[in-house]
């Protein structure tokens, strides 16, 4: 099933987005609700809190006295971490139970206020961040929730900043207007991306390729690649060898907005064994047989596996190559050569522009240039002592 992480700073409007997702048919799992559920009277969570902080954190009726508990952990880092160590594992366990109970074609939205702070972004197929400017959030907290200005400011400052939230976001939903405007944005996201993403994920297929034109370099490409790599690493477990390659990995180089990633494996049998898990986390295998041109060995090719992305909001090629193979080496060498030699990078950009302007097929037209680049890159590697991965 598709798992969406939803977050945003206090007062940004995250709850309104969650409610709209629910109206569209999503299964909502609210971390704040679960955090209260796991410390209800009679739970082992409440017993653990009493054991850690004493009976003074209970009301006369045996409920958790939240203000009293808050006074104990406020400004005490060790106490706060101890409380988190009690609540967070229980919330994660309950979240897993509710997720597993949802239908296989469900779209499960996890409403998690501290998603970014807890480092949970890679565990979701899609992360949606709701943003609003600070002044508007202050106004909402004071007028709608009855906080003082000092209380509202303190609550905002206690959370991470919007820069970190943006870095974690696959989708940013601005909420600086009225509720109708927010609903339009949510409905568009649901219709144009989330529903198709779920269908692609369930059917094990990559999103339909877009007709992408070569565009000037965009500064957020490396951050996007890093976000996707983190998602793959989390999904596969351990520390698989992953690299951002291709044109979007070279600062200043024009590209067609395709994020090329490379996963290194020891054998193609290992690549095939990983295919199912990659599909589950949103990177299904593309059908067909795929080969790399073994540059410098005329007529020779080297097999690989190629995966796409089920998310229609991204264009991704995930190349799964045997470490040490010609294609694996050339992908890293060309990237590093173009990064290090501006003249080579600019020549590639000019060649791209010429290919786009010609009537020849883009893929066919670039092969002779790549042969020349392979030789130039090899010469550069020998001159500087380049080694893959260094």
């Amino acid at each position: 099933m598709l798992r969406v992480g939803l977050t945003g700073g206090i007062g940004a409007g995250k709850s309104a987005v969650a409610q709209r997702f629910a109206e569209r048919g999503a299964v909502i799992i609210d971390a704040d609700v679960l955090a209260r559920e796991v410390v209800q009277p009679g739970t082992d969570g409440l017993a653990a809190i009493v054991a850690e902080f004493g009976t003074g954190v209970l009301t006369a009726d045996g409920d958790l006295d939240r203000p009293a508990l808050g006074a104990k952990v406020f400004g005490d880092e060790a106490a706060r971490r101890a409380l988190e160590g009690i609540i967070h594992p229980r919330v994660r366990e309950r979240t897993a139970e509710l997720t597993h109970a949802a239908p296989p074609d469900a779209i499960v939205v996890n409403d998690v206020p501290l998603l970014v702070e807890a480092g949970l972004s890679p565990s979701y197929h899609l992360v949606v961040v709701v943003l609003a400017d600070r002044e508007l959030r202050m106004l909402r907290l004071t007028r709608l929730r009855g906080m003082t200005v000092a209380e509202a400011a303190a609550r905002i400052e206690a959370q991470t900043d919007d820069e970190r939230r943006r870095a974690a976001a696959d989708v940013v939903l601005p909420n600086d207007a009225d509720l109708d405007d927010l609903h339009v944005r949510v409905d568009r996201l649901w219709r144009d991306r989330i529903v198709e993403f779920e269908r692609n994920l369930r059917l094990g297929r990559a999103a339909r390729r877009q007709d992408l034109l070569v565009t000037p370099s965009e500064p957020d490409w490396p951050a996007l690649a890093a976000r996707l790599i983190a998602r793959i690493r989390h999904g596969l477990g351990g520390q698989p060898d992953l690299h951002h390659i291709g044109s979007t990995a070279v600062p200043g180089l024009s590209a067609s907005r395709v994020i090329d990633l490379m996963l290194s494996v020891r054998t193609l049998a290992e690549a095939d064994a990983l295919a199912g898990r990659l599909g589950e986390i949103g990177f299904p295998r593309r059908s067909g047989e795929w080969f790399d041109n073994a540059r410098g060995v005329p007529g020779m090719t080297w097999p690989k596996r190629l995966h796409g992305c089920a998310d229609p909001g991204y264009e991704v090629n995930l190349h799964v190559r045997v470490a040490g193979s010609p294609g694996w080496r050339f992908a890293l060498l060309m990237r590093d050569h173009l990064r290090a030699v501006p003249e080579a990078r600019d020549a590639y950009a000019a060649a791209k522009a010429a290919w786009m302007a010609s009537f020849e097929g883009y893929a066919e037209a670039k092969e002779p240039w790549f042969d020349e680049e392979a030789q130039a890159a090899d010469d550069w590697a020998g001159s500087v002592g380049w080694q893959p991965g260094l």
Side-chain angles (χ1 to χ4, degrees):
M1 63 189 68
L2 183 69
R3 300 184 309 278
V4 178
L6 172 65
T7 194
I10 185 170
K14 174 177 56 64
S15 296
V17 173
Q19 181 177 342
R20 190 62 172 181
F21 277 146
E23 292 170 1
R24 303 275 74 81
V27 174
I28 306 297
I29 301 176
D30 190 324
D32 277 347
V33 171
L34 297 187
R36 287 172 170 77
E37 177 185 309
V38 299
V39 294
Q40 290 294 314
T43 63
D44 66 340
L46 183 58
I49 288 178
V50 172
E52 178 71 31
F53 297 101
T55 56
V57 297
L58 295 177
T59 67
D61 295 328
D63 292 323
L64 181 63
D65 187 335
R66 295 184 181 280
L69 179 61
K72 284 183 174 290
V73 302
F74 183 77
D76 186 332
E77 181 70 12
R80 182 182 65 81
R81 290 190 179 278
L83 179 61
E84 291 174 349
I86 294 170
I87 293 179
H88 289 181
R90 291 168 170 82
V91 169
R92 287 195 295 268
E93 182 179 355
R94 184 64 179 137
T95 297
E97 291 173 355
L98 294 173
T99 301
H100 291 151
D105 61 347
I107 295 170
V108 177
V109 176
N110 289 89
D111 182 341
V112 186
L114 301 181
L115 183 151
V116 176
E117 292 89 331
L120 297 175
S121 302
S123 64
Y124 299 100
H125 292 107
L126 189 76
V127 172
V128 178
V129 172
V130 186
L131 292 183
D133 66 54
R134 181 187 175 90
E135 291 73 18
L136 182 54
R137 292 167 64 193
M138 290 285 293
L139 186 64
R140 289 169 178 165
L141 294 176
T142 53
R143 287 190 177 180
L144 302 180
R145 300 198 192 181
M147 295 183 188
T148 66
V149 171
E151 289 170 338
R155 294 290 296 275
I156 290 174
E157 292 299 328
Q159 297 180 339
T160 194
D161 57 39
D162 284 347
E163 183 177 352
R164 284 192 63 201
R165 292 192 184 97
R166 286 183 182 275
D170 298 293
V171 178
V172 171
L173 278 178
N175 183 26
D176 290 326
D178 58 21
L179 190 60
D180 288 341
D181 180 81
L182 180 64
H183 285 173
V184 168
R185 295 177 188 273
V186 174
D187 291 350
R188 184 184 304 120
L189 170 62
W190 181 268
R191 180 187 66 244
D192 295 345
R193 186 165 182 176
I194 291 178
V195 169
E196 184 179 346
F197 194 171
E198 185 282 322
R199 185 181 301 114
N200 290 338
L201 189 69
R202 177 162 35 90
L203 297 177
R205 68 185 185 193
R208 292 187 297 272
R209 289 180 179 270
Q210 307 295 319
D211 292 329
L212 298 173
L213 300 177
V214 173
T215 66
S217 178
E218 296 183 10
D220 64 338
W221 283 337
L224 168 54
R227 191 159 62 244
L228 296 171
I229 286 174
R231 188 163 290 152
I232 296 169
R233 283 194 170 130
H234 180 273
L236 296 183
Q239 286 295 319
D241 187 26
L242 283 151
H243 298 272
H244 181 200
I245 59 171
S247 295
T248 59
V250 180
L253 179 61
S254 56
S256 56
R257 296 186 181 179
V258 176
I259 302 297
D260 283 285
L261 306 174
M262 184 168 70
L263 171 61
S264 307
V265 292
R266 291 169 295 181
T267 64
L268 287 180
E270 181 182 337
D272 293 337
L274 292 173
R277 184 58 186 149
L278 285 170
E280 291 173 2
I281 61 177
F283 299 89
R285 183 171 166 178
R286 294 192 187 275
S287 61
E289 298 295 324
W290 302 89
F291 299 89
D292 288 317
N293 183 328
R295 308 286 169 185
V297 185
M300 294 292 291
T301 59
W302 201 275
K304 65 176 179 179
R305 302 294 184 256
L306 185 64
H307 290 244
C309 185
D311 183 353
Y314 291 140
E315 185 73 28
V316 177
N317 285 326
L318 173 59
H319 307 261
V320 186
R321 292 181 167 115
V322 173
S325 68
W328 177 89
R329 180 182 183 277
F330 181 65
L332 296 174
L333 173 57
M334 180 177 173
R335 179 200 65 185
D336 293 351
H337 179 230
L338 297 181
R339 284 176 173 176
V341 183
E343 295 82 4
R345 179 201 64 197
D346 294 343
Y348 187 25
K352 285 187 179 195
W355 300 331
M356 291 295 296
S358 73
F359 291 103
E360 292 185 74
Y362 187 98
E364 293 78 11
K366 67 183 183 180
E367 284 304 309
W369 188 92
F370 269 51
D371 288 337
E372 294 180 8
E373 163 60 17
Q375 183 60 59
D378 266 330
D379 293 343
W380 170 81
S383 70
V384 298
W386 176 88
Q387 294 293 326
L390 297 182

